[in-house]
Amino acid sequence: DQQVKQNSPSLSVQEGRISILNCDYTNSMFDYFLWYKKYPAEGPTFLISISSIKDKNEDGRFTVFLNKSAKHLSLHIVPSQPGDSAVYFCAASDRGSRLTFGEGTQLTVNP
Amino acid sequence: DGGITQSPKYLFRKEGQNVTLSCEQNLNHDAMYWYRQDPGQGLRLIYYSQIVNDFQKGDIAEGYSVSREKKESFPLTVTSAQKNPTAFYLCASSIWGEGTGELFFGEGSRLTVL
């Protein structure tokens, strides 16, 4: 039972354009959603999160949108930079318990 | 400097051998976790521990064992029963039961079975 799904294994965008990474979930008890970024052979690093009581959270070039009725969230990166090329994981938690991760999306930003 | 330290970073093992991966944290977190990442796949939970002397199986615990004798330490043993042990292993820690559930990860250990 995959409670968090990232349906796009890969995404390629041009430098300077917007990158949109999507994530769907099924468990309505999730109350926090997080995005992690991972480079090869390194541990994931936390990028941005959003509480279920909000619909948007912004941090610099990164914005996460949450649509609770659709059980969908998205991460927008604008403008995209070559250094953003990495695997992005969506994750969700229920009252601070273990995170459930999606499969990840490989983002490639072309110069 | 607070963080999570995994060792070794690279490890080679012959078939039939057990190996132990080390994970130490100085973040004073109660919860610790082991994940496995395979090429093209997400992060799969092997074991986690919410408190000292207690741990729970994750989604892919078969062929692995853990111990949690100290708050700071959560070693993972990959046993000979693990059919496909070659992978990238990640240790993480978190505050349990409050906040966002954010995990702090180590740098990872790559295990290769020869």
Side-chain angles (χ1 to χ4, degrees):
Chain A
D1 176 26
Q2 188 71 20
Q3 297 187 64
V4 178
K5 282 197 69 64
Q6 295 175 254
N7 291 312
S8 298
S10 63
L11 174 68
S12 183
V13 298
Q14 286 299 120
E15 181 178 5
R17 307 294 289 268
I18 186 170
S19 296
I20 300 176
L21 296 100
N22 295 303
C23 178
D24 297 295
Y25 64 96
T26 57
N27 187 346
S28 56
M29 297 301 293
F30 288 144
D31 56 358
Y32 271 99
F33 303 89
L34 301 86
W35 285 93
Y36 281 82
K37 176 179 179 179
K38 185 183 182 300
Y39 294 117
E42 294 184 10
T45 54
F46 170 74
L47 197 56
I48 192 170
S49 66
I50 187 167
S51 162
S52 60
I53 62 172
K54 297 190 174 183
D55 55 18
K56 178 182 174 181
N57 187 25
E58 193 171 351
D59 183 2
R61 297 185 297 114
F62 303 92
T63 302
V64 57
F65 295 92
L66 175 63
N67 182 333
K68 280 185 67 177
S69 61
K71 292 190 174 68
H72 176 83
L73 65 156
S74 60
L75 174 68
H76 293 212
I77 306 173
V78 56
S80 300
Q81 300 172 354
D84 295 330
S85 297
V87 177
Y88 289 79
F89 290 100
C90 170
S93 71
D94 170 10
R95 289 163 294 172
S97 67
R98 53 175 274 194
L99 286 184
T100 300
F101 285 88
E103 304 92 328
T105 297
Q106 171 70 56
L107 173 66
T108 303
V109 180
N110 301 301
Chain B
D1 223 45
I4 305 209
T5 303
Q6 287 185 241
S7 62
K9 192 165 178 65
Y10 298 97
L11 186 61
F12 297 89
R13 185 193 97 176
K14 291 182 181 179
E15 281 195 38
Q17 288 181 335
N18 293 355
V19 293
T20 297
L21 307 180
S22 169
C23 179
E24 303 279 330
Q25 57 103 354
N26 61 4
L27 299 168
N28 200 33
H29 285 164
D30 288 317
M32 296 187 75
Y33 311 76
W34 276 104
Y35 287 87
R36 167 179 172 146
Q37 186 190 19
D38 295 283
Q41 296 201 31
L43 303 176
R44 295 187 290 169
L45 182 64
I46 304 172
Y47 268 99
Y48 66 104
S49 168
Q50 301 171 41
I51 197 169
V52 174
N53 292 323
D54 188 35
F55 47 83
Q56 285 79 40
K57 292 182 179 180
D59 303 316
I60 55 164
E62 185 176 349
Y64 299 97
S65 66
V66 293
S67 62
R68 187 88 186 277
E69 296 176 3
K70 298 187 302 182
K71 186 176 185 178
E72 301 80 18
S73 178
F74 192 41
L76 173 74
T77 297
V78 185
T79 75
S80 56
Q82 169 48 235
K83 291 185 172 56
N84 297 297
T86 294
F88 189 59
Y89 290 88
L90 287 159
C91 180
S93 71
S94 75
I95 299 169
W96 181 269
E98 58 180 271
T100 66
E102 180 185 348
L103 294 179
F104 295 79
F105 284 90
E107 289 294 301
S109 295
R110 179 163 298 283
L111 172 63
T112 302
V113 174
L114 303 173

